[in-house]
Amino acid sequence: MNIEQIYRDAGAYLQGHFLLSSGKHSQFYLQSAKVLENPELAGRLADELAKIISENGVEFDSVCSPALGGVLAGYELARAAKKRFIFTERVEKMMSLRRGFEVRKGERFIICEDIITTGGSALESAKIIEELGGVVVGFAALANRGFCSLSNMPSSRKAECKLPFDKPLFALGNFEFEIYEPESCPLCKGGSVAIKPGSRGN
């Protein structure tokens, strides 16, 4: 499965000048919503992700995703794996578990995102699950932005990765884009202004 081509075909592989959630800038952006708006395609991607997790011997009971970006990917993964699905969401900037969702003691979770960059939101969700007695057995995403190392394909871990060393991360593809601090961004120096196309901006 060529995940890069799938993003390109869906108009989800954007090129321009983007402000990332981390505050850094990049010339490229992956807009997963454009991929996931096609239910048939979303289902095929989730089927492949579930297969990868199974082939790597990771057993789990449920899937949890941080809202908003991870909800569709996580729901489809749960469907593909025939598991339960819940999601966390931000309330006054704090990640929370609401809407009557519960976590059983010892319940094994995969934390699923659409895109893993540094893994900050996924880690926040994982901490909530564990505080409630659940067990996080791994992380998953449609695409990895090249900061965290993958368990199912060659990749490297950068210092910015926030995910734990002892839990596997699975994704359909690994994208390594140049990312700049605002003060040293060559795009800014060229006169363009960064825009924020993600779920927290547009």
Side-chain angles (χ1 to χ4, degrees):
M1 178 173 282
N2 187 336
I3 191 68
E4 179 177 329
Q5 193 60 53
I6 287 172
Y7 269 77
R8 288 185 183 277
D9 290 345
Y13 193 110
L14 308 182
Q15 186 168 357
H17 183 187
F18 304 108
L19 173 63
L20 307 179
S21 297
S22 63
K24 298 181 181 182
H25 293 193
S26 178
Q27 187 179 1
F28 298 99
Y29 192 87
L30 300 175
Q31 182 55 281
S32 294
K34 290 293 294 177
V35 173
L36 296 170
E37 72 179 2
N38 181 330
E40 181 184 359
L41 176 56
R44 286 197 286 115
L45 295 175
D47 289 345
E48 181 65 20
L49 190 55
K51 178 182 175 184
I52 289 169
I53 295 170
S54 176
E55 288 175 346
N56 279 269
V58 177
E59 297 183 357
F60 60 102
D61 306 303
S62 302
V63 177
C64 177
S65 293
L68 178 63
V71 170
L72 290 178
Y75 184 87
E76 281 296 320
L77 175 61
R79 176 205 54 77
K82 297 180 172 57
K83 307 296 182 182
R84 186 169 79 100
F85 174 74
I86 62 175
F87 62 87
T88 60
E89 56 193 304
R90 292 190 187 279
V91 180
E92 297 181 353
K93 299 184 178 182
M94 294 291 294
M95 196 69 83
S96 307
L97 188 67
R98 305 174 65 210
R99 306 176 190 273
F101 289 141
E102 297 179 350
V103 175
R104 299 184 296 272
K105 184 175 178 60
E107 187 176 3
R108 299 166 298 179
F109 279 86
I110 290 285
I111 307 296
C112 184
E113 277 270 37
D114 55 345
I115 304 288
I116 288 284
T117 303
T118 62
S121 295
L123 183 61
E124 289 180 73
S125 294
K127 287 180 176 178
I128 289 172
I129 294 299
E130 291 175 338
E131 287 170 0
L132 294 172
V135 179
V136 174
V137 296
F139 296 85
L142 300 182
N144 182 49
R145 280 292 304 264
F147 286 89
C148 300
S149 57
L150 294 171
S151 300
N152 60 297
M153 65 179 63
S155 53
S156 59
R157 180 185 176 106
K158 295 182 173 61
E160 293 92 339
C161 181
K162 298 177 181 178
L163 297 183
F165 285 92
D166 62 341
K167 302 287 173 64
L169 168 62
F170 304 103
L172 300 178
N174 192 48
F175 296 80
E176 295 199 36
F177 302 137
E178 287 287 341
I179 293 178
Y180 311 104
E181 297 291 345
E183 59 272 16
S184 60
C185 175
L187 305 171
C188 289
K189 291 178 180 177
S192 70
V193 177
I195 62 171
K196 189 173 180 61
S199 59
R200 298 185 201 173
N202 178 17

